[in-house]
Amino acid sequence: MGEGEDKGLGQPSEKMEQFLRERERLDKVLQEKFRRKRAILFSDVSGYTRYMETFGDIAGRTWIQKHHDIVLPIIRSHEGEILDVMGDGVMASFLTSLSAVKASIAMQRALNEINAGAEKPHRLHVKIGINAGDVLVQKGHAAGDVVNTAARI
């Protein structure tokens, strides 16, 4: 017989109730310390892979840098926090949905201005997804269903 097992059913001798109470306590701590209401914004450049294949690595990286130079300051100016820059995409967090929406509008307007003077194959187009709700946050990282849904929108 293994350590901590009852003779009859081979079940652990600890009381499940003790673990359930501890889980309840830990869930409360997690909620209080790490759960926050946030709006999560994802911005993804359309056609990045094709651009790289057509114009090469350096031109592709320059193209994405232009995107970042336009988009990142706009996010910050709308009280957004940049959580991650993933190649051709950006993930940001906002305290309110309204701030996230205003930032996305400003991003599209700025990109439209840049695109007006660019040749068609060099225009930057982005897809933006926003979702809001309870998010688990820790040191500049956000996780949870709200984040996953925003990434898919």
Side-chain angles (χ1 to χ4, degrees):
M1 185 169 23
E3 212 176 293
E5 289 184 351
D6 288 333
K7 293 179 187 174
L9 300 174
Q11 299 297 318
S13 63
E14 293 90 358
K15 300 281 185 201
M16 183 183 297
E17 293 81 5
Q18 293 169 330
F19 292 108
L20 292 172
R21 286 184 196 102
E22 181 65 7
R23 178 181 177 189
E24 186 176 322
R25 185 190 71 75
L26 290 172
D27 283 347
K28 185 176 180 183
V29 170
L30 286 167
Q31 294 287 342
E32 290 172 359
K33 290 190 180 276
F34 300 104
R35 188 168 296 278
R36 302 286 181 267
K37 295 259 187 229
R38 294 289 186 271
I40 302 296
L41 176 147
F42 276 89
S43 171
D44 182 66
V45 176
S46 299
Y48 178 58
T49 302
R50 186 174 57 251
Y51 192 92
M52 294 278 280
E53 291 169 353
T54 304
F55 298 103
D57 295 340
I58 294 173
R61 187 61 186 93
T62 302
W63 194 57
I64 289 302
Q65 188 61 51
K66 182 187 290 187
H67 166 269
H68 295 346
D69 289 345
I70 294 166
V71 167
L72 299 182
I74 290 172
I75 290 170
R76 289 184 188 106
S77 73
H78 286 83
E79 300 177 352
E81 176 186 2
I82 309 298
L83 299 177
D84 201 0
V85 177
M86 309 145 293
D88 66 337
V90 175
M91 180 172 92
S93 171
F94 295 82
L95 293 176
T96 68
S97 298
L98 182 59
S99 294
V101 170
K102 285 182 177 183
S104 69
I105 292 168
M107 290 162 52
Q108 292 288 10
R109 285 183 177 154
L111 290 169
N112 283 338
E113 286 178 26
I114 295 296
N115 287 339
E119 295 178 23
K120 189 173 183 174
H122 301 291
R123 293 179 184 157
L124 282 161
H125 299 282
V126 297
K127 296 179 261 180
I128 298 173
I130 299 170
N131 194 22
D134 287 335
V135 177
L136 293 175
V137 295
Q138 180 184 17
K139 294 183 183 176
H141 179 75
D145 187 56
V146 167
V147 175
N148 297 338
T149 301
R152 288 191 305 265
I153 293 178

